[in-house]
Amino acid sequence: MSLLEVFDRFKIDIAVTGESGAGKSSLINAFLGLNPDDAGAAPTGAVETTKQATMYQHPNLPQVRLWDLPGMGTPSFGSKSYVKTMNFDLYDMFMVVISERVRENNMLLVDEIEQQKKPYYLIRTKIDNDMRSQKKKKQFSEIHELDQMRQDCKKYLKEKKLDPHVFLVSAIDTQNYELQKLTDTFKDEVSQLRAELFSSFLDKMLHGGWIKARYATNHIQQTRKLQAEDITTLHNMYERTGFGAAKVSVVLQALSHFQLDVAVLGETGSGVSTFVNALIGLENEECGAASVSISNPAMSLGYPDVRFWDISGIEGVMDYSMYEMKQVMNWYDFCIIIVSDWQKARHLKLAKAVEELRKHYLLVQTKVDCHLQTQSELCCDETDILDGLRAQFTQEIQMAKLSEKQIFLINNLDRSDVFETYEENAREAPHFDCPNYCKRIEDIQLGKQKIIC
Ligand SMILES: Nc1nc2c(ncn2[C@@H]2O[C@H](COP(=O)(O)OP(=O)(O)OP(=O)(O)O)[C@@H](O)[C@H]2O)c(=O)[nH]1
Ligand SMILES: [Mg+2]
């Protein structure tokens, strides 16, 4: 196991805290893209609802755990004992949720988090409510009201010379206000924080002396950020290689900013854009879909550190020499070569260039439905047609002296094939490669690790 693999398992814990009824659980649901009635959503309500700290896994950041804490200032969780009862030591970062006003309790929370020297955001929620009531004023200006609210939050912080991020959000009206800004800022900052925490843990464990090392290790085990065997692995690795925690820190910091550039290449009309849109979860005609281009990469929530570049019209590039083609390809870390017709020689030449550059790539045949339609008039069973298609491809790959590759058969227009649950797909259409393809897309992440190593 490599150091990076251990890091990949390292968890980070974010506590969502605030007064009772402030909207903590609703914020978590909005943040995770869940409706209050969805299975797995945090329970919300007009009465004291959250009675114990409950963990929610971030769907797109697998190592990020959000903790919904009970509210402060109820008979069950009085303000004075709240911080102790909630054991703030267990968490790495906080979201302090405020509604309507900044109150003394909120500042008590901020003081405690500051004392623990941990990062936090101040989130004023239920902005939709505020706006609705303010709109009744004759001289209503949304910008002015929002500014007032922000200043109100910042006023108390400024007195203490503090300057955390302040977000004004609504868990009900998620499209307006700053929920998106909160999501983007969090995504950017949390991976860096995770890298810092892991390096700091390594530093304490390896170079901190007996007491510090034991304290740090106990904390990591108590909070289940790593398993005992991971810690043993780290010790063994250190004994074998003597890696420096400082060097690891530099690599992890770089990794937290790392963007993997994935080129999706194909001939004009081969379905490159449709494929990219499917990857980022947009319909072709949806806002944002058409704007993806060679100069404007697509970002997917599912793969926050991957940029997908839409490069159709490769027939133009193919007129260049192999050297020129490699120069173009060299810019990307990973390639997905889209094949939609029988001009495969062109695509195999491209695959050759990518292989010679020692980059990772996938071969994807799109528009399989069209192929099935034409072939089924001639003969037989769908499974046989698809097996035949795959066999023919395999043969051509061998003839082109490329390394052994599986071809992924995709029907872009039927999203269910690409994105619906693996099991269902596998049951209903076992001959389609779609479930398999979804799994293989994870290789993109693996490709990233290989580049770093
Ligand atoms: N209009 C509006 N209502 C909200 C918003 N956020 C929460 N609410 C409502 O406020 C009430 C309390 O929300 P919760 O999310 O349960 O609050 P909480 O802080 O988790 O409450 P406890 O767990 O009991 O401490 C519920 O009725 C929510 O529907 C919001 O942004 N806008
Ligand atoms: Mg709650």
Side-chain angles (χ1 to χ4, degrees):
M1 195 190 301
S2 76
L3 195 60
L4 239 119
E5 280 169 303
V6 179
F7 172 63
D8 245 8
R9 293 218 280 261
F10 186 74
K11 310 274 192 301
I12 180 164
D13 295 295
I14 322 295
V16 180
T17 184
E19 285 192 306
S20 180
K24 301 177 292 298
S25 307
S26 307
L27 176 74
I28 290 189
N29 291 337
F31 196 67
L32 302 182
L34 293 169
N35 287 318
D37 300 330
D38 286 349
T44 60
V47 293
E48 184 184 2
T49 306
T50 311
K51 300 279 177 55
Q52 62 178 32
T54 313
M55 192 271 276
Y56 296 88
Q57 186 77 59
H58 195 292
N60 305 323
L61 304 167
Q63 307 310 351
V64 174
R65 298 187 293 206
L66 289 170
W67 291 86
D68 186 10
L69 300 192
M72 184 186 200
T74 63
S76 342
F77 300 99
S79 307
K80 276 189 192 150
S81 55
Y82 181 81
V83 166
K84 243 195 192 145
T85 318
M86 289 304 128
N87 205 353
F88 272 25
D89 287 343
L90 299 178
Y91 307 102
D92 307 304
M93 182 182 172
F94 294 83
M95 294 189 185
V96 180
V97 180
I98 297 175
S99 64
E100 289 118 21
R101 298 274 182 283
V102 180
R103 300 196 177 86
E104 193 183 4
N105 277 345
N106 307 135
M107 294 317 288
L108 280 177
L109 294 175
V110 166
D111 285 343
E112 176 61 29
I113 300 165
E114 280 287 339
Q115 218 163 21
Q116 293 202 9
K117 296 192 169 60
K118 289 178 178 168
Y120 63 100
Y121 297 156
L122 208 66
I123 303 172
R124 180 164 170 161
T125 186
K126 304 192 189 178
I127 297 294
D128 57 313
N129 272 350
D130 294 294
M131 285 300 154
R132 201 174 317 113
S133 47
Q134 294 305 313
K135 263 183 193 154
K136 289 174 189 149
K137 284 182 184 168
K138 270 191 189 144
Q139 292 192 322
F140 169 77
S141 148
E142 183 168 297
I143 296 175
H144 176 72
E145 292 299 334
L146 290 173
D147 190 49
Q148 292 275 93
M149 283 186 230
R150 197 185 309 280
Q151 294 315 322
D152 182 53
C153 291
K154 292 210 162 182
K155 190 169 85 189
Y156 298 99
L157 297 164
K158 262 190 196 148
E159 283 169 12
K160 291 173 185 272
K161 298 199 165 47
L162 305 174
D163 192 21
H165 285 299
V166 174
F167 299 98
L168 308 177
V169 307
S170 163
I172 308 278
D173 186 355
T174 53
Q175 299 304 309
N176 279 315
Y177 315 115
E178 296 183 332
L179 186 69
Q180 190 58 48
K181 189 173 162 199
L182 165 67
T183 312
D184 293 345
T185 312
F186 178 76
K187 197 181 77 188
D188 278 355
E189 295 188 348
V190 78
S191 42
Q192 191 172 346
L193 179 63
R194 198 167 78 86
E196 280 167 16
L197 289 171
F198 185 70
S199 323
S200 150
F201 163 61
L202 282 185
D203 197 36
K204 285 183 192 134
M205 187 182 83
L206 304 174
H207 311 292
W210 189 76
I211 296 176
K212 252 192 187 175
R214 193 167 159 184
Y215 180 82
T217 309
N218 282 348
H219 176 74
I220 294 293
Q221 279 181 321
Q222 185 196 2
T223 51
R224 303 196 180 166
K225 290 182 182 305
L226 286 176
Q227 302 295 319
E229 60 261 31
D230 291 323
I231 295 173
T232 313
T233 306
L234 287 174
H235 273 294
N236 292 342
M237 219 182 287
Y238 182 63
E239 269 170 32
R240 245 189 9 257
T241 62
F243 64 79
K247 254 191 199 161
V248 172
S249 165
V250 172
V251 173
L252 294 182
Q253 287 301 328
L255 187 63
S256 69
H257 295 293
F258 188 84
Q259 288 283 341
L260 185 80
D261 287 300
V262 176
V264 183
L265 305 125
E267 288 171 306
T268 308
S270 64
V272 172
S273 305
T274 312
F275 182 81
V276 173
N277 287 334
L279 271 177
I280 60 170
L282 288 176
E283 299 287 340
N284 270 350
E285 57 286 349
E286 254 178 272
C287 166
S291 61
V292 173
S293 69
I294 193 156
S295 54
N296 184 22
M299 308 292 286
S300 153
L301 260 187
Y303 305 102
D305 42 12
V306 180
R307 287 187 291 220
F308 294 99
W309 297 86
D310 176 333
I311 307 172
S312 51
I314 53 149
E315 55 274 28
V317 180
M318 301 305 295
D319 293 339
Y320 299 149
S321 70
M322 192 73 150
Y323 169 77
E324 282 167 318
M325 220 155 68
K326 279 189 194 167
Q327 278 201 322
V328 175
M329 303 316 307
N330 213 6
W331 200 85
Y332 304 96
D333 305 307
F334 191 100
C335 297
I336 298 177
I337 301 174
I338 305 285
V339 191
S340 71
D341 62 10
W342 296 101
Q343 289 292 317
K344 290 195 191 106
R346 201 173 253 172
H347 299 98
L348 296 176
K349 191 174 159 199
L350 192 63
K352 186 111 198 137
V354 178
E355 234 173 59
E356 283 178 15
L357 287 165
R358 298 183 189 215
K359 293 190 191 264
H360 299 268
Y361 69 99
L362 300 178
L363 285 170
V364 176
Q365 163 104 44
T366 52
K367 303 187 183 176
V368 170
D369 51 328
C370 301
H371 183 70
L372 280 174
Q373 230 167 25
T374 47
Q375 295 296 307
S376 60
E377 282 160 17
L378 299 177
C379 68
C380 52
D381 189 61
E382 268 187 19
T383 319
D384 293 339
I385 301 171
L386 291 166
D387 282 348
L389 190 61
R390 213 172 282 124
Q392 192 182 346
F393 226 114
T394 309
Q395 204 182 14
E396 284 173 24
I397 286 171
Q398 279 167 356
M399 273 157 56
K401 295 199 168 51
L402 290 166
S403 58
E404 209 175 297
K405 274 264 169 226
Q406 191 180 348
I407 172 85
F408 295 95
L409 307 179
I410 295 289
N411 169 13
N412 272 343
L413 294 177
D414 185 353
R415 249 132 239 264
S416 61
D417 282 339
V418 187
F419 288 107
E420 288 279 284
T421 54
Y422 295 1
E423 294 83 352
E424 227 174 270
N425 248 309
R427 213 179 321 117
E428 281 178 11
H431 46 276
F432 266 74
D433 266 333
C434 303
N436 214 347
Y437 161 76
C438 290
K439 220 168 148 288
R440 278 300 299 271
I441 271 292
E442 286 164 20
D443 285 0
I444 292 176
Q445 304 286 44
L446 273 179
K448 172 176 124 176
Q449 287 191 8
K450 281 182 188 135
I451 291 157
I452 287 287
C453 292

